Amino acid sequence: MSLKHAVLAALLEGEASGYDLAKIFDVSVANFWAATPQQLYRELDKLAEAGLITARVVEQERRPNKRMFSLTEPGMRDLAAYTAAPPRPSAVRDELLVQVQACDGGDTAAVRGFVARRMETSRDKLARYDRLRERMLAGRDEETYLDEAERVGPYLTLMRGRFFEEENLRWGERALAVLDRRAAARGGSVADATAAATA
């Protein structure tokens, strides 16, 4: 997937400034596509040059002027063509998993700490996703929302992000239990070693 299509899809929500889009990416799109604000602004310029979005300047008195972006008909057609093409297979590239793969010949205590930190990150993301979910549902149950909402794509991607982080937690709990059990069998404690290394 390209950043181009992630931006076009985000603009389905309606006109937005670059700042608005950066917030959208940080809160909801980040669970499946990461981009820095600088990357977003560069992509917005490219999309405007290509005629896939329009940009209008909004003058502000006490702040710098801002540009508001919206989809054009060519942008909608491009997005429609994109959704009609089969996606490329996804592949996992995760440095933590390389470290876990190598932990038997390396610093197991440090790797254990990295797994624990990944779990904490997953918990933080889940809390953020849950807050976003509550805002989206606005007091409705999930099925009512899915029946009534104008768009369901953002909710479905949010669900995928939640499932991904929940699986990270399940895997992390299992990985920590295995590392701790093996350390105990060898007469030590990976958890104690990790605590000592980080003290």
Side-chain angles (χ1 to χ4, degrees):
M1 185 177 89
S2 69
L3 178 56
K4 163 187 169 181
H5 293 109
V7 172
L8 293 177
L11 285 171
L12 284 171
E13 296 291 330
E15 187 180 52
S17 67
Y19 176 75
D20 296 331
L21 286 168
K23 285 198 304 187
I24 290 169
F25 266 71
D26 184 52
V27 172
S28 59
V29 178
N31 70 67
F32 61 91
W33 191 264
T36 66
Q38 294 81 4
Q39 290 172 317
L40 280 175
Y41 282 107
R42 282 195 301 270
E43 193 62 35
L44 287 167
D45 288 338
K46 289 181 196 172
L47 293 172
E49 286 175 24
L52 300 178
I53 62 174
T54 59
R56 68 179 181 91
V57 175
V58 175
E59 293 185 12
Q60 302 185 107
E61 286 186 21
R62 293 192 173 91
R63 289 189 283 181
N65 294 342
K66 66 178 177 179
R67 291 190 303 163
M68 298 295 291
F69 301 94
S70 56
L71 279 171
T72 61
E73 281 301 317
M76 290 291 291
R77 286 194 300 273
D78 189 284
L79 201 52
Y82 172 74
T83 60
R88 290 188 293 265
S90 61
V92 175
R93 291 181 55 161
D94 188 333
E95 188 173 10
L96 174 59
L97 294 183
V98 177
Q99 292 175 312
V100 170
Q101 174 83 1
C103 76
D104 299 299
D107 189 338
T108 305
V111 172
R112 186 196 187 283
F114 301 150
V115 172
R117 278 201 288 270
R118 172 69 60 85
M119 293 172 69
E120 196 55 42
T121 299
S122 291
R123 287 187 193 97
D124 291 344
K125 286 184 178 181
L126 277 170
R128 251 185 23 224
Y129 295 161
D130 286 343
R131 288 191 297 273
L132 177 60
R133 180 178 183 269
E134 289 306 310
R135 282 200 305 272
M136 292 174 83
L137 292 177
R140 294 171 284 188
D141 64 73
E142 184 174 83
E143 292 309 313
T144 301
Y145 174 85
L146 293 173
D147 289 343
E148 297 175 353
E150 183 178 333
R151 298 187 58 233
V152 296
Y155 192 84
L156 294 175
T157 57
L158 175 66
M159 288 171 60
R160 180 65 184 103
R162 287 191 85 263
F163 293 153
F164 179 75
E165 298 306 338
E166 287 169 349
E167 180 55 32
N168 278 341
L169 287 175
R170 281 192 295 275
W171 171 81
E173 287 166 2
R174 178 70 173 139
L176 293 184
V178 169
L179 293 174
D180 289 348
R181 188 176 71 235
R182 288 174 60 86
R186 290 170 171 76
S189 167
V190 177
D192 290 343
T194 303
T198 57

